[in-house]
Amino acid sequence: MTELVVARQFSAPKTAVWAAFVEPEIIAQWWGPHGWNVPEDSVVLEPKIGGRHELHMVQDANPESVVPLKAVVTTFDEYECLASADGPHEMTLDLVIETRIEFKEFAGQTMLTLTQSPLPYDVIDTSTKAWNSAFAKLETLLAEFF
């Protein structure tokens, strides 16, 4: 088992990047790698520790292929950190996987650091590519406004 860390700088203020992770209508516009979408009505984020963090990613080419996120918020520090725990279930390989997203702003730019663990070594490459693809979608969305 290991830890996945993905860091990305966005040309947008921290408040905007934070909103992209907590506002269902914004989450639905970018979450998931290219070739996947998230129906807005599947997104639930209860902004409190113990709250639900849920959504469904649907593959564009095969709408029968659905990947659920059914996590519980473990940290909700507004504009600073959002963390949740997902699992154990089949999609998490029967593990409880924590996803932690930290937000730092400098000169109008936001540095985001995502950490997921524990993850088996053999999913790190695929997971890294998926997050980078999703973050590219988020970058495109933010570029419309900043």
Side-chain angles (χ1 to χ4, degrees):
M1 297 301 224
T2 190
E3 178 178 84
L4 167 79
V5 178
V6 178
R8 185 79 166 236
Q9 185 170 324
F10 294 96
S11 297
K14 183 167 61 169
T15 54
V17 179
W18 172 264
F21 281 85
V22 300
E23 299 292 335
E25 64 276 5
I26 303 173
I27 293 168
Q29 295 179 56
W30 71 270
W31 193 283
H34 287 283
W36 293 78
N37 70 79
V38 172
E40 186 177 336
D41 64 354
S42 77
V43 181
V44 176
L45 182 74
E46 297 172 342
K48 61 183 179 182
I49 294 174
R52 294 182 303 152
H53 185 201
E54 301 176 0
L55 56 79
H56 290 110
M57 288 190 309
V58 180
Q59 190 176 37
D60 295 341
N62 177 12
E64 299 298 314
S65 182
V66 177
V67 176
L69 170 70
K70 293 188 72 78
V72 174
V73 175
T74 57
T75 303
F76 193 89
D77 185 4
E78 194 168 32
Y79 305 115
E80 302 296 324
C81 183
L82 174 64
S84 61
D86 186 16
H89 54 77
E90 182 181 350
M91 294 306 298
T92 65
L93 309 172
D94 293 321
L95 299 167
V96 175
I97 297 174
E98 180 170 61
T99 301
R100 181 177 189 81
I101 305 154
E102 297 176 306
F103 304 79
K104 304 283 184 210
E105 185 171 357
F106 180 74
Q109 307 272 311
T110 301
M111 176 56 78
L112 180 142
T113 304
L114 176 138
T115 307
Q116 279 187 315
S117 67
L119 290 177
Y121 285 98
D122 59 342
V123 304
I124 293 297
D125 186 53
T126 303
S127 296
T128 300
K129 287 176 182 173
W131 278 113
N132 280 325
S133 180
F135 289 162
K137 289 167 55 178
L138 176 55
E139 194 170 79
T140 299
L141 177 64
L142 291 168
E144 294 178 25
F145 305 97
F146 300 98

